[in-house]
Amino acid sequence: DQQVKQNSPSLSVQEGRISILNCDYTNSMFDYFLWYKKYPAEGPTFLISISSIKDKNEDGRFTVFLNKSAKHLSLHIVPSQPGDSAVYFCAATLGQGGSEKLVFGKGTKLTVNP
Amino acid sequence: DTEVTQTPKHLVMGMTNKKSLKCEQHMGHRAMYWYKQKAKKPPELMFVYSYEKLSINESVPSRFSPECPNSSLLNLHLHALQPEDSALYLCASSQDRGFWEDQPQHFGDGTRLSIL
């Protein structure tokens, strides 16, 4: 039973445009949501996170939106750059004092075309 | 440039071999993790160490034996593995147990393990 779902295995966008990566979850107890980026032959790299008490968190070109009622979050990358091409994993965890377990989605492969 | 270093990067072993994977971090993190990632699948948690003590074992078979000799080092001892154990093994570390905003888990680049 997948608690974190990324239903789009791949996404292709033009350089300079917006990339929107989506993630759905089923466990309403998740407190934090994270996005990791993974290049081939490298480990996942932390990108941005959001607490369940917020609906938006922004860091430079990256913005994560959380819709708790819909159990949905999205990562916006604006403007997209070719170096953003990677696999993006959505992950969720219980908060402080809770589980150390990061539950990952299956990932979305983003390709940014020059 | 990863701050969590895993060796070796690649390992091929037979089902009767004994080998070890090594993970090292010098960020002063007190929690360390082993994950297993199969092709086209997300990473799945195997073990969590907190302050050098095993705190979570996700029902991993005993042919995988973790060890945390000190706060900077995490090993995964392998014995009598099966072909289905072939995967990418990722190590991660974090400041402490759990997730505190702005203190996420940092991952190494992994060891790609092939069982013949």
Side-chain angles (χ1 to χ4, degrees):
Chain A
D1 182 27
Q2 240 189 310
Q3 297 186 69
V4 178
K5 301 177 185 178
Q6 292 177 259
N7 293 319
S8 298
S10 63
L11 174 68
S12 185
V13 300
Q14 284 300 121
E15 181 178 5
R17 306 294 290 269
I18 184 171
S19 296
I20 300 176
L21 298 113
N22 293 305
C23 178
D24 298 294
Y25 62 95
T26 57
N27 188 342
S28 57
M29 299 300 292
F30 286 139
D31 275 0
Y32 289 97
F33 302 90
L34 305 88
W35 286 93
Y36 280 83
K37 178 169 77 171
K38 187 179 185 299
Y39 293 117
E42 293 184 13
T45 302
F46 171 72
L47 203 55
I48 192 169
S49 66
I50 187 167
S51 163
S52 61
I53 63 172
K54 297 181 181 177
D55 54 19
K56 178 182 175 181
N57 189 24
E58 195 171 350
D59 183 3
R61 296 186 297 115
F62 303 92
T63 303
V64 57
F65 295 93
L66 175 63
N67 182 334
K68 277 193 74 174
S69 60
K71 294 192 177 72
H72 176 83
L73 63 154
S74 61
L75 174 68
H76 293 214
I77 307 174
V78 183
S80 302
Q81 299 173 354
D84 296 329
S85 298
V87 176
Y88 287 79
F89 288 99
C90 172
T93 186
L94 299 175
Q96 298 181 18
S99 168
E100 294 83 359
K101 189 172 180 176
L102 270 180
V103 180
F104 285 89
K106 288 187 174 180
T108 297
K109 184 177 182 180
L110 173 66
T111 302
V112 180
N113 301 303
Chain B
D1 234 19
T2 181
E3 296 174 78
V4 177
T5 305
Q6 290 188 244
T7 54
K9 291 194 183 302
H10 302 275
L11 179 62
V12 179
M13 59 187 285
M15 288 189 282
T16 58
N17 292 155
K18 284 186 182 181
K19 296 284 184 184
S20 297
L21 309 184
K22 181 179 170 182
C23 174
E24 202 162 358
Q25 58 87 15
H26 295 287
M27 296 178 280
H29 288 174
R30 302 316 301 263
M32 296 186 76
Y33 312 77
W34 280 115
Y35 287 82
K36 174 181 177 178
Q37 185 178 18
K38 300 279 281 182
K40 299 192 189 304
K41 299 279 188 182
E44 293 182 350
L45 183 68
M46 299 174 71
F47 301 104
V48 180
Y49 270 83
S50 178
Y51 290 85
E52 299 158 49
K53 290 190 177 359
L54 182 65
S55 60
I56 292 181
N57 176 341
E58 287 284 304
S59 302
V60 179
S62 60
R63 57 186 184 267
F64 295 92
S65 175
E67 179 199 18
C68 190
N70 59 59
S71 60
S72 301
L73 194 53
L74 184 66
N75 298 320
L76 186 62
H77 302 299
L78 315 172
H79 178 232
L81 295 196
Q82 305 296 311
E84 61 264 28
D85 296 323
S86 297
L88 179 68
Y89 289 83
L90 291 162
C91 174
S93 70
S94 66
Q95 187 65 36
D96 207 331
R97 288 179 64 169
F99 174 74
W100 278 259
E101 211 161 357
D102 298 326
Q103 295 184 28
Q105 292 180 25
H106 295 259
F107 284 81
D109 288 341
T111 293
R112 187 156 299 282
L113 177 65
S114 298
I115 307 299
L116 301 179

